[in-house]
Amino acid sequence: MYLHGTSKINTAGRLEIGGCDTAELAAKFGTPLYVFDEALIRRRCREFVEAFRATGFQFQVAYASKAFCVMAMCRIAEEEGLSLDVVSDGELYTALRAGFPADRIHFHGNNKTPEEIEMALDAKIGCIVVDNFMELHLLNEIAKEKGAVMNILFRVTPGVEAHTHEFISTGQTDTKFGFDIGNGSAYQAIREALALKHVNILGVHSHIGSQIFEVDGFRLAAERVAEFAQTVRQELDITFSVINLGGGFGIRYVEGDSPLPLSQYVQAITGSIKSLFAKHEYPLPEIWIEPGRSIVGDAGTTLYTVGSTKNIPGVRKYVSVDGGMTDNPRPALYDAKYEALLANRANDPNEETVSIAGKCCETGDMLIRDLELPATEAGDILAVSCTGAYNYSMASNYNRLRRPAVVFVRDGEADLVVRRETFEDVAGKDTVPERMRKQPVARS
Ligand SMILES: *Cc1c(COP(=O)(O)O)cnc(C)c1O
C-alpha cells in the first residue's frame, strides 16, 4: 500500500498516521473507523491556495463539501481560507452550524427546492449556482418576497467531458446539469436573468468531470467559456466578474494512477483564462475552482477488523471485514479500486492473494479483489487507504449497520469528529402505529 501524508510503518511494525498507532486507534474507537490525516488535508488546501497566490489572480478555492461534509472539516476549510460548496439543505445546515462564513458558501444542485432557496437567502450565502430556467425564476420570486438580491453563477455545459486519461469533446452534452452553451440555452438564460431584479449575475460555472489526470479538458472548457463570455459581452453588454471551472482533480488510489501536482491544474486554468481573456481585451475575472476529492481523498484511511475467511481452492480466498459497502460503496457502485495493508503487522511478508469482502448481504459487497497480504487471522486490523472522499459522505445504514466514527489524527493526538452511531440512532427514529404495538405506549 502506498503511504500517503504522515502515514508510516512504526518501529512496532504497525501503520501509524498522524503520529497515532492505528492498532491502538482501532482498539480505542472500535472498527470500522475512518481516520483522517489532518496535516495532509491542510497541505492539500495550501497547495491550491499557494498556487493561486503565485498567479496574481483574484480567486476562491471552494471545497466541494459533498466529498466529506462534517463540521470539523468545515472548520479546516475556513481556517485554510477556502470557500465551501454545498448541494443540499443538509450540507448548508452543517456548514452554518460549524460557523462557516455564509458569504463564502456557494449552493449547487439541479433541483434546489423552494425551501432550500429560502434557506440560502435567509443565511445570505455568497452565491447560488443556477442550474435551470425554473430555478432562475423561482429564485428571483423568492428573493423578491424577501427584498433580497442573490449573486448567481450559471452552470453551463461547455461540451467537454473529461475522463481520467482522455477528454471527449461533445457537441451537445447529455447531462442533467446546467445550461448548454452549444444549443443556445446558456445564452437564453443570461438574457432572461438580465430582466430579473433580484439576481446579480457574477458569471459562469463549468464542471467537466471527476478523477481527471490531464489539464487538456480544463483548457478546452476554459476556451469554450471564454468564447461564450465574449459573445455575451458583445451582444448583451454584460461582463462576467467570475469564471468557475469546477473540480475533478485526480488523486492516486492505486498504483498506476498518475495525478498531476495540484499546482499544475491551477497553472493550466489560470494560464488559459489569462491568455484567452487578454485576446479579447476582456477584464480579467476572478477564478474559482471546486476541489473535493483532491482535498480529502488521500487523507482518509479506513480501519477494519478481520473476521471470517472462506477459501475456495483454486478459485479465491475471501477475507471478510466488519464493514463494507455501508462505509465504502464506491467499489460496488463504480468498481473503484483500493489498496490496503495489515495495519497491525505491516512488515510481515505477503504470503497470499485474497479478496476483501464486506459483511453486507449482497454478493457485490466486495472492497478489494486480489490483494497481496500476509496470512491473516481473525482480529487483524486491515487498513484501506485513500477513503477520505465519497466514503463517509456516501455511507448508509444498509443491513441496519451503525455508521462508523470519524477521527482526525495529528501530532500523536486523535480527536473524535463524528461518534459511532448507536442502536438508538439506527432504530430510534422508527415509530410503530398504535394498533401494532405489543403494549400500550405510556403517554407523557
Ligand atoms: C462533485 C463536484 C465537485 C467536486 O468534484 P471532485 O471530483 O470531488 O473534485 C465540484 N463541483 C461540482 C459542481 C461538483 O458536482
Side-chain angles (χ1 to χ4, degrees):
M1 181 180 94
Y2 183 83
L3 297 173
H4 298 268
T6 66
S7 293
K8 63 173 193 178
I9 311 301
N10 65 19
T11 49
R14 294 166 167 181
L15 175 65
E16 185 179 296
I17 308 174
C20 295
D21 183 309
T22 52
E24 287 171 17
L25 292 175
K28 178 170 179 190
F29 295 101
T31 58
L33 179 69
Y34 297 107
V35 180
F36 280 81
D37 180 348
E38 184 177 330
L40 186 53
I41 299 176
R42 291 183 186 274
R43 189 171 109 202
R44 298 300 183 216
C45 295
R46 286 169 201 176
E47 282 173 10
F48 280 116
V49 169
E50 281 161 18
F52 265 109
R53 285 220 178 104
T55 67
F57 266 95
Q58 298 279 3
F59 66 93
Q60 286 190 38
V61 176
Y63 167 59
S65 73
K66 71 176 196 247
F68 170 60
C69 185
V70 305
M71 286 168 58
M73 184 57 215
C74 295
R75 301 295 322 131
I76 290 181
E78 182 186 354
E79 287 176 5
E80 296 298 333
L82 271 53
S83 299
L84 201 76
D85 277 1
V86 299
V87 298
S88 73
D89 47 8
E91 288 182 356
L92 178 55
Y93 175 81
T94 304
L96 294 173
R97 185 164 163 157
F100 197 90
D103 62 349
R104 275 161 44 196
I105 298 176
H106 315 151
F107 202 139
H108 277 278
N110 65 302
N111 189 22
K112 301 177 191 79
T113 64
E115 293 77 15
E116 286 174 324
I117 291 171
E118 277 201 37
M119 193 174 166
L121 283 162
D122 290 343
K124 300 188 164 54
I125 70 164
C127 160
I128 288 184
V129 183
V130 174
D131 193 277
N132 55 72
F133 290 100
M134 178 185 144
E135 179 190 340
L136 175 63
H137 293 280
L138 183 64
L139 169 59
N140 187 64
E141 281 307 302
I142 299 175
K144 184 176 172 188
E145 282 163 26
K146 293 182 182 289
V149 177
M150 178 54 76
N151 289 327
I152 60 170
L153 293 179
F154 290 92
R155 178 161 186 165
V156 298
T157 48
V160 182
E161 229 180 275
H163 293 258
T164 304
H165 281 296
E166 81 269 36
F167 64 91
I168 300 169
S169 177
T170 52
Q172 186 162 333
T173 318
D174 182 3
T175 161
K176 71 174 180 176
F177 292 112
F179 300 96
D180 205 272
I181 290 181
N183 71 9
S185 77
Y187 184 89
Q188 180 60 23
I190 291 175
R191 264 176 60 145
E192 289 186 22
L194 284 170
L196 305 176
K197 292 198 174 63
H198 297 270
V199 295
N200 175 42
I201 302 170
L202 298 182
V204 286
H205 165 279
S206 108
H207 173 74
I208 54 173
S210 211
Q211 186 62 352
I212 300 165
F213 290 152
E214 308 280 337
V215 297
D216 309 15
F218 292 103
R219 287 216 180 97
L220 189 59
E223 228 169 82
R224 300 262 168 93
V225 164
E227 276 165 31
F228 178 65
Q230 175 63 5
T231 306
V232 164
R233 190 157 88 121
Q234 284 175 336
E235 296 178 13
L236 300 177
D237 194 27
I238 168 158
T239 305
F240 295 152
S241 58
V242 174
I243 300 294
N244 184 330
L245 286 175
F249 316 107
I251 66 167
R252 183 200 187 285
Y253 281 99
V254 294
E255 183 139 33
D257 289 343
S258 48
L260 298 170
L262 300 180
S263 58
Q264 286 195 21
Y265 295 105
V266 173
Q267 284 157 12
I269 287 169
T270 53
S272 298
I273 295 285
K274 193 169 187 171
S275 61
L276 292 160
F277 280 63
K279 198 169 70 188
H280 298 300
E281 291 173 16
Y282 197 110
L284 277 190
E286 252 183 62
I287 300 182
W288 296 3
I289 58 165
E290 306 175 323
R293 187 190 315 274
S294 53
I295 297 279
V296 290
D298 57 9
T301 300
T302 308
L303 304 179
Y304 301 96
T305 301
V306 170
S308 62
T309 56
K310 174 183 175 178
N311 189 22
I312 312 166
V315 178
R316 186 180 292 281
K317 181 171 176 183
Y318 289 90
V319 170
S320 295
V321 295
D322 56 352
M325 63 190 293
T326 40
D327 57 80
N328 183 1
R330 296 188 68 255
L333 265 180
Y334 311 121
D335 198 23
K337 302 286 186 274
Y338 286 91
E339 291 179 346
L341 56 68
L342 272 196
N344 57 320
R345 295 193 283 123
N347 284 333
D348 285 13
N350 291 335
E351 281 177 27
E352 53 187 14
T353 303
V354 301
S355 291
I356 307 299
K359 67 180 265 104
C360 296
C361 286
E362 183 76 36
T363 302
D365 180 26
M366 296 295 299
L367 288 173
I368 303 176
R369 282 174 209 276
D370 303 326
L371 172 70
E372 299 291 320
L373 279 187
T376 54
E377 290 167 21
D380 278 334
I381 304 299
L382 186 83
V384 177
S385 62
C386 256
T387 58
Y390 307 107
N391 273 230
Y392 176 76
S393 62
M394 289 184 140
S396 77
N397 291 117
Y398 180 52
N399 291 166
R400 289 234 141 170
L401 295 183
R402 289 163 291 166
R403 268 177 288 218
V406 183
V407 294
F408 280 9
V409 292
R410 177 183 79 138
D411 299 334
E413 307 260 334
D415 293 310
L416 190 67
V417 302
V418 182
R419 66 158 172 79
R420 177 177 308 283
E421 286 184 342
T422 62
F423 290 126
E424 181 62 22
D425 291 327
V426 170
K429 298 182 291 283
D430 300 8
T431 57
V432 176
E434 203 140 30
R435 66 197 155 77
M436 297 175 192
R437 289 179 191 167
K438 294 189 76 174
Q439 57 233 338
V441 175
R443 304 226 167 246
S444 52

